[in-house]
Amino acid sequence: MRSSRRSTSPHRSAASRRRGLPKTRRFGAQAGTTTAEYAIGTLAACAFAALLYKIITSGSVSALLSGIIHKALGSVG
């Protein structure tokens, strides 16, 4: 006589044994951590880009970069 219950064979992979569990139970408190890390990293990169933009577009840095470019182009031609 065959039992209708599925047996937990040691030959089944861990992934196939976990398939029936809800996602929150499989990953526990770590669910969504990677997404939050990417969001914080993206926010930090945007803040850094804004800071660099403000520095480069300031008057003194703009004049300095302009002088360097004119000097480089003047020495080529």
Side-chain angles (χ1 to χ4, degrees), residues 32-62:
T33 302
T34 302
T35 304
E37 289 170 353
Y38 279 124
I40 291 171
T42 302
L43 184 64
C46 289
F48 186 66
L51 178 68
L52 283 178
Y53 177 76
K54 286 300 247 182
I55 290 171
I56 289 181
T57 56
S58 70
S60 59
V61 175
S62 182

Side-chain angles (χ1 to χ4, degrees), residues 10-37:
H11 301 291
R12 287 177 52 200
S13 69
S16 67
R17 285 194 299 268
R18 286 191 305 257
R19 248 183 231 135
L21 296 176
K23 190 182 258 188
T24 55
R25 191 162 166 214
R26 274 187 279 167
F27 299 116
Q30 294 292 321
T33 302
T34 302
T35 304
E37 289 170 353

